[in-house]
Amino acid sequence: MKKFIYLSALIFLCLLLYSSGHAKMSAYFPIANDPQKLEIAISAATDGTNYLVPVMVPFSDIYAQFIRQDGTRGNKVTIVQNSTSGVFDAHVAYGGGKYLLIWTE
């Protein structure tokens, strides 16, 4: 039941962001930092100027990559490094002047 509520809330948030124009679908562009690793980004949030994208190295690492308005990469923040329990499904939201990043471990 908790997974259903979590998934429903996530879908609602995505639809809300998309319909408000804050999340736009566009062509792919590189966000990942290491071409030798499989790095996956499935979520993004914006403060109206910059974007924060959580990037996962499946079952190992999560970092957050800021993307500037002009599309260049900003600061990179390590969230989880060398996890032994496995990490995946990183998602981010923005509200009230703060970013919220969640993931499954």
Side-chain angles (χ1 to χ4, degrees):
M1 184 66 176
K2 286 184 180 182
K3 287 183 180 182
F4 176 75
I5 293 171
Y6 166 75
L7 184 58
S8 298
L10 186 60
I11 290 169
F12 175 75
L13 178 63
C14 290
L15 290 172
L16 182 66
L17 287 172
Y18 184 74
S19 66
S20 67
H22 289 292
K24 295 184 175 46
M25 301 301 229
S26 64
Y28 292 104
F29 62 95
I31 294 172
N33 290 302
D34 187 347
Q36 301 302 315
K37 291 182 182 177
L38 172 63
E39 296 180 317
I40 301 169
I42 59 173
S43 176
T46 183
D47 62 3
T49 304
N50 299 304
Y51 291 84
L52 182 64
V53 179
V55 179
M56 299 170 291
V57 176
F59 305 105
S60 176
D61 305 332
I62 295 177
Y63 64 88
Q65 178 71 60
F66 280 96
I67 308 295
R68 296 182 190 100
Q69 205 169 23
D70 64 3
T72 59
R73 285 185 258 182
N75 292 337
K76 174 183 164 184
V77 180
T78 300
I79 308 296
V80 177
Q81 190 170 26
N82 300 320
S83 171
T84 57
S85 59
V87 292
F88 52 96
D89 288 336
H91 297 277
V92 66
Y94 180 84
K98 298 181 184 200
Y99 288 97
L100 172 66
L101 196 138
I102 60 170
W103 65 90
T104 304
E105 189 165 333

